[in-house]
Amino acid sequence: MSAALDTFAPGLAHLRTIATPATDYRVMPFGIDAIDRRLGAGGLRAGALHEAASSSVSLVDDAAATLFLAGIAAREALATGGLVLWASCRTNLYAPALEQAGLPSASVIYAQPRDDAALLAVVEDAVRDGTPSAIVAEASKVSMVATRRLQLVAADADIPVLLLRRLRGLNQDVLAEPSAAWTRWRIGAAPSERLDVAGVGRERWMVECARQRGGEGFSLIVEGSDETGRLAVPAELGRGAVETVGTVRFAAA
């Protein structure tokens, strides 16, 4: 039996190489096959810059994009046992909503710089310091040079930097602007499940990966982050519907 296994070992090793993408960096999987198998490394690169923007200026889409990044940060904080730095120039962040997405107040350090320039400096200093397990930053104006700097320091420190790009106008597409981000996401609200009784169901989002290094864009509907930061695929949609729903509407930068 041992000899037979030795005979087939080279072939099995080759199959394992094909099944698992070879990377020289740490990966943060979503834990959802419909997403992870479409990402080049089987998940998000941990030490990298990842951007997300709402699909419109509506409050529900803005909340969906915010909680999408909150869930990623929550999963990383849970895995590493560290804190999350949340940097924003705004004062309207709703802590109970973050807790429902897996980020209780005790796990978050809040920073409120005076403007985007100061915010980016705070984020870069925090990454170099290495204290947070993940960083979420909200900004409107971010240059290509700034995203390159954030990508470089994130890779060096092996810390995810999650940049929420705020829309500045009704017809603006901030993801059309150049960026060095590893992945870029567009998030919007989708119709929730119809309930048998009156009440509030788990929110659903249209999640669109507009750009990723080493892979193609895709879009699908998911159920929003739960109290552990995890997404879910709506059961009644089925695999086929999840794979085909939506299209990438904008060219990647």
Side-chain angles (χ1 to χ4, degrees):
M1 185 68 174
S2 176
L5 289 176
D6 290 342
T7 301
F8 287 102
L12 293 174
H14 177 64
L15 289 176
R16 285 194 295 267
T17 301
I18 294 175
T20 305
T23 63
D24 57 355
Y25 50 79
R26 188 167 59 90
V27 174
M28 304 182 301
F30 280 86
I32 298 177
D33 181 65
I35 297 179
D36 291 334
R37 64 185 170 81
R38 292 168 177 263
L39 293 172
L44 297 175
R45 176 173 178 172
L49 172 66
H50 303 281
E51 292 183 352
S54 60
S55 58
S56 77
V57 295
S58 73
L59 292 178
V60 290
D61 288 347
D62 184 76
T66 302
L67 294 177
F68 174 76
L69 293 185
I72 297 173
R75 295 195 301 272
E76 179 67 0
L78 183 64
T80 61
L83 298 175
V84 172
L85 172 66
W86 197 293
S88 175
C89 301
R90 297 154 54 119
T91 58
N92 62 347
L93 193 62
Y94 190 55
L98 295 186
E99 185 163 5
Q100 291 180 358
L103 275 182
S105 296
S107 300
V108 184
I109 303 171
Y110 297 98
Q112 189 178 348
R114 64 182 181 276
D115 53 33
D116 283 351
L119 180 143
L120 294 173
V122 167
V123 171
E124 187 171 337
D125 286 345
V127 175
R128 294 185 186 279
D129 179 74
T131 299
S133 59
I135 296 173
V136 182
E138 305 177 33
S140 298
K141 297 181 180 180
V142 185
S143 68
M144 180 65 173
V145 172
T147 62
R148 282 200 184 110
R149 290 177 63 91
L150 291 178
Q151 171 58 37
L152 288 172
V153 296
D156 185 59
D158 194 31
I159 293 176
V161 176
L162 311 172
L163 185 60
L164 179 59
R165 299 293 302 273
R166 293 289 185 181
L167 302 184
R168 302 190 297 274
L170 289 175
N171 299 317
Q172 183 200 27
D173 177 25
V174 293
L175 299 189
E177 300 172 0
S179 172
W182 198 267
T183 62
R184 309 185 80 183
W185 302 80
R186 187 176 289 104
I187 313 297
S192 297
E193 176 185 6
R194 184 180 296 276
L195 302 179
D196 295 332
V197 295
V200 179
R202 185 172 177 178
E203 67 271 23
R204 288 182 177 177
W205 303 332
M206 172 62 77
V207 172
E208 178 184 330
C209 180
R211 174 188 182 271
Q212 64 163 315
R213 294 194 190 182
E216 297 180 352
F218 60 90
S219 59
L220 70 162
I221 291 177
V222 299
E223 293 184 338
S225 300
D226 63 12
E227 66 278 3
T228 66
R230 293 181 64 86
L231 305 174
V233 173
E236 74 276 12
L237 290 182
R239 179 179 175 183
V242 170
E243 289 180 349
T244 58
V245 67
T247 57
V248 178
R249 296 165 295 163
F250 298 92

